[in-house]
């Protein structure tokens, strides 16, 4: 066990709770210290109820949470860590604290306030700049607080104000704290930050240089728009650009301008048809299970789509013909079922083309439907998963995702579970999460449970 210590963060501890909280920290330190374990306590930046000196004595490091000047429930909208608010509190705290035992936690996130609502929504840096871009709002830099913000109107006419913290605010905050030589800086929170912050966070962070802030490297998440399970990659990621103006005398950044906002992959969803259900079967054909499934579908008079693996289709061409002859659709699921995120793009083309040629030569039909293996089984949501999908799209395929995944491929799954999971998910009517495409498998292992579940699944879905 490489356990090295603990960071304790009790939020909104009231005045009455302070004596007990302090005693708890003292006991914790007494228990940890003999083992060489470190105790860190996160504390609010400006709460008069907290005795900073006592808490500092009861821990190895105090972590000052230098943000939430305005917070989700605050009455007014405003800066999340205005520069003067930050500097004043820093001066007040450092009167009591030893710099070598103090860590300053910088915020990098935002709040989106809706006019009239009681609480704001916390947003990441990426979400903030995407909102600004989508609503064509201009990101402004408030001269007084030196925090960025923007306002926009939603399609439903609601009025929004977003304040956020970015790498420029972090730059100014690090610079203002440098004179104290604190033990270090922390970030709230990883994954929410302006990625340019990494040009100033790190080894020489007491003397940050603003040059690295000019390029905003795209964020981590894939941005989905619309509803439905047919996916179309709209844009590739591109970096954003900002200009920064530094005050020659003080070295602080006194202005920034977002010239272009960064974008991650943007994927458009279409094909949302509430009330309908599409059954899909992946990984076949299989000499045992595919005929059994086709028999059930014929009996129930239900059409489905089979995303076949080319290699299996080559072994059982009669099954490909039967699928087509009985009125079902064929889709391309590659030739050998590789993880397309791990092979070169040209091999992806080969996987797709070989399967397409096989389907054409065996059935006399071609297919425009494609579902990538592995991540297609759960929809592409990581950047490395989108590039192969984009490649398929450039070959004119429609990428078919899915939202209803009863995990019929998992070992020991029961028919009841397959039916129940499918029906539950099919009942979801939230436009953000609902789905109509069901993923089942007709190959790749023991599919007895799938076959047993299928007739009941069809009856239950029809009854709804
Ligand atoms: Zn598959």
């Amino acid at each position: 066990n490489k356990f090295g210590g603990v960071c304790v963060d009790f939020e909104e501890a009231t005045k009455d709770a302070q004596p007990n909280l302090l005693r708890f920290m003292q006991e914790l330190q007494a228990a940890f210290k003999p083992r060489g374990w470190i105790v860190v306590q996160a504390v609010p930046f400006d709460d008069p109820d907290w005795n900073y000196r006592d808490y500092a004595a009861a821990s190895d490091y105090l972590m000052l949470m230098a943000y939430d000047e305005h917070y989700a429930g605050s009455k007014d909208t405003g800066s999340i860590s205005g520069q003067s608010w930050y500097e004043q509190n820093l001066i007040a705290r450092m009167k009591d604290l030893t710099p070598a035992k103090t860590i300053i936690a910088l915020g990098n996130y935002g709040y989106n306030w809706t006019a009239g609502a009681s609480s704001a929504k916390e947003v990441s840096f990426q979400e903030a700049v995407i909102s600004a871009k989508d609503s064509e709002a201009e990101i402004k830099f408030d001269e007084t607080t030196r925090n960025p913000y923007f306002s926009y109107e939603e399609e439903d006419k609601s009025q929004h104000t977003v304040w956020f913290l970015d790498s420029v605010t972090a730059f100014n905050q690090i610079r203002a704290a440098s004179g104290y030589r604190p033990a270090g800086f922390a970030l709230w929170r990883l994954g929410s930050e302006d990625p340019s912050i990494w040009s100033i966070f790190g080894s020489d962070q007491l003397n940050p240089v603003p040059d690295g802030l000019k390029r905003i490297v795209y964020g981590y998440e894939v941005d989905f728009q619309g509803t439905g399970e047919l996916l179309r990659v709209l844009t590739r990621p591109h970096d954003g650009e900002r200009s920064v103006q530094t005050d020659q005398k003080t070295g602080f950044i006194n202005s920034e301008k977002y010239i272009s906002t960064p974008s991650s992959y943007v994927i458009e969803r279409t094909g949302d048809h509430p009330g309908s259900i599409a059954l899909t079967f992946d990984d076949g054909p299989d000499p045992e299970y595919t005929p059994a499934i086709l028999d059930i579908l014929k009996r129930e008079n239900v059409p489905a789509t089979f995303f076949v693996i080319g290699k299996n289709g080559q072994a059982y061409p009669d099954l490909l013909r039967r699928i087509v002859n009985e009125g079902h659709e064929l889709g391309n699921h590659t030739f050998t079922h590789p993880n397309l995120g791990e092979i070169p793009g040209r091999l992806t083309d080969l996987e797709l083309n070989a399967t397409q040629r096989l389907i054409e030569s065996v059935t006399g039909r071609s297919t425009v439907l494609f579902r990538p293996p592995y991540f297609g089984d759960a929809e592409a949501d990581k950047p490395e998963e989108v590039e192969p999908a984009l490649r398929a799209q450039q070959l004119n395929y429609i990428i078919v995702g899915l939202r209803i995944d009863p995990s019929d491929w998992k070992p020991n799954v029961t028919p009841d579970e397959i039916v129940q999971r499918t029906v539950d998910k099919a009942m979801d009517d939230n436009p953000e999460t609902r789905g109509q495409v069901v993923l089942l498998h007709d190959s790749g292992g023991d599919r007895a449970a799938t076959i047993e579940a299928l007739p009941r699944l069809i009856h239950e879905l029809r009854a709804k």
Side-chain angles (χ1 to χ4, degrees):
N1 190 322
K2 300 257 170 62
F3 183 58
V6 68
C7 181
V8 175
D9 177 10
F10 284 102
E11 296 276 326
E12 292 170 43
T14 58
K15 194 172 180 151
D16 306 344
Q18 290 295 326
N20 283 335
L21 179 55
L22 181 61
R23 197 173 325 130
F24 170 76
M25 292 307 300
Q26 287 163 338
E27 287 173 15
L28 193 65
Q29 192 191 34
F32 273 44
K33 204 168 191 139
R35 295 171 168 86
W37 295 342
I38 289 171
V39 174
V40 182
Q41 187 181 15
V43 293
F45 204 27
D46 68 333
D47 191 330
D49 292 343
W50 291 63
N51 186 324
Y52 291 94
R53 217 182 280 233
D54 287 351
Y55 281 116
S59 65
D60 294 284
Y61 298 98
L62 270 201
M63 193 185 286
L64 299 173
M65 297 186 283
Y67 40 81
D68 266 1
E69 176 190 8
H70 293 84
Y71 49 96
S74 56
K75 285 198 293 294
D76 308 308
T77 66
S79 52
I80 294 169
S81 187
Q83 187 68 12
S84 52
W85 174 86
Y86 169 86
E87 288 181 16
Q88 281 161 21
N89 281 302
L90 191 62
I91 290 167
R93 293 295 78 79
M94 295 317 287
K95 279 187 185 135
D96 288 328
L97 300 176
T98 310
K101 289 184 62 183
T102 305
I103 296 167
I104 299 165
L106 306 177
N108 242 233
Y109 63 92
Y111 287 118
N112 185 331
W113 280 275
T114 309
S118 60
S119 180
K121 184 175 172 273
E122 189 176 331
V123 291
S124 67
F125 169 82
Q126 189 184 346
E127 288 166 335
V129 295
I130 286 172
S131 294
K133 187 179 194 169
D134 290 350
S135 60
E136 292 171 18
E138 187 195 347
I139 298 172
K140 297 180 180 136
F141 190 73
D142 181 47
E143 280 182 26
T144 314
T145 61
R146 298 194 184 189
N147 278 191
Y149 74 102
F150 60 92
S151 303
Y152 67 97
E153 187 181 272
E154 197 68 83
E155 277 168 13
D156 63 5
K157 301 287 174 211
S158 59
Q159 303 290 325
H160 293 256
T161 305
V162 176
W163 285 83
F164 62 104
L165 297 169
D166 61 7
S167 59
V168 166
T169 61
F171 175 93
N172 283 337
Q173 294 178 344
I174 289 172
R175 192 167 168 82
S178 292
Y180 294 106
R181 306 205 77 81
F185 295 92
L187 172 69
W188 180 259
R189 70 181 167 76
L190 206 57
S192 167
E193 80 281 10
D194 172 351
S196 325
I197 201 173
W198 299 110
S199 72
I200 52 169
F201 238 58
S203 53
D204 193 24
Q205 62 185 10
L206 287 177
N207 298 298
V209 183
D211 291 348
L213 308 183
K214 290 173 184 164
R215 208 167 70 100
I216 313 166
V217 180
Y218 76 95
Y220 313 107
E221 288 159 40
V222 177
D223 183 19
F224 285 94
Q225 296 179 353
T227 54
E229 291 144 293
L230 302 182
L231 310 175
R232 191 175 159 73
V233 184
L234 291 182
T235 55
R236 273 217 170 88
H238 60 82
D239 296 348
E241 201 190 339
R242 64 155 71 82
S243 63
V244 294
Q245 226 175 60
T246 312
D247 184 316
Q248 293 303 329
K249 281 207 298 285
T250 64
F252 285 97
I253 295 174
N254 53 23
S255 170
E256 73 166 316
K257 191 170 170 51
Y258 281 80
I259 297 163
S260 62
T261 47
S263 173
S264 56
Y265 284 101
V266 179
I267 296 182
E268 178 190 48
R269 296 179 167 283
T270 55
D272 188 26
H273 291 288
S276 304
I277 288 286
L279 296 181
T280 66
F281 295 90
D282 282 14
D283 297 354
D286 175 277
E288 182 181 353
Y289 301 115
T290 307
I293 285 169
L294 286 168
D295 289 345
I296 295 167
L297 295 175
K298 189 189 249 175
R299 203 165 61 228
E300 302 293 341
N301 197 22
V302 170
T305 304
F306 290 80
F307 286 92
V308 295
I309 296 173
K311 198 175 55 170
N312 294 345
Q314 189 179 37
Y316 307 103
D318 287 346
L319 285 173
L320 291 185
R321 280 188 280 267
R322 186 177 162 195
I323 288 169
V324 170
N325 290 341
E326 295 186 2
H328 307 291
E329 296 288 337
L330 281 175
N332 193 329
H333 196 46
T334 74
F335 203 85
T336 64
H337 209 269
N339 184 339
L340 298 179
E342 294 172 356
I343 65 169
R346 283 170 63 192
L347 271 183
T348 297
D349 293 355
L350 191 63
E351 288 276 346
L352 288 168
N353 290 340
T355 306
Q356 182 74 272
R357 293 296 95 79
L358 176 85
I359 291 172
E360 285 172 354
S361 64
V362 171
T363 69
R365 304 249 194 112
S366 63
T367 181
V368 293
L369 305 176
F370 169 61
R371 176 177 284 159
Y374 302 110
F375 46 82
D377 295 355
E379 295 198 349
D381 56 2
K382 294 190 199 74
E384 66 271 22
E385 298 173 346
V386 182
E387 203 55 38
L390 179 58
R391 204 148 176 127
Q393 183 177 302
Q394 283 159 349
L395 293 170
N396 292 321
Y397 285 98
I398 296 167
I399 305 153
V400 183
L402 60 113
R403 279 273 176 83
I404 307 181
D405 179 6
S407 298
D408 72 325
W409 54 273
K410 285 194 178 151
N412 304 321
V413 68
T414 67
D416 282 348
E417 285 167 340
I418 295 173
V419 173
Q420 200 52 49
R421 287 172 191 166
T422 305
V423 172
D424 286 350
K425 184 68 189 168
M427 292 288 97
D428 179 0
D429 60 1
N430 177 353
E432 297 289 320
T433 55
R434 73 178 169 218
Q436 296 109 35
V437 179
V438 182
L439 169 65
L440 297 165
H441 293 83
D442 59 335
S443 182
D446 182 358
R447 294 283 94 91
T450 304
I451 285 160
E452 201 184 320
L454 188 58
R456 271 172 50 210
L457 194 151
I458 292 168
H459 296 158
E460 294 216 16
L461 287 172
R462 273 191 169 142
K464 300 287 175 188

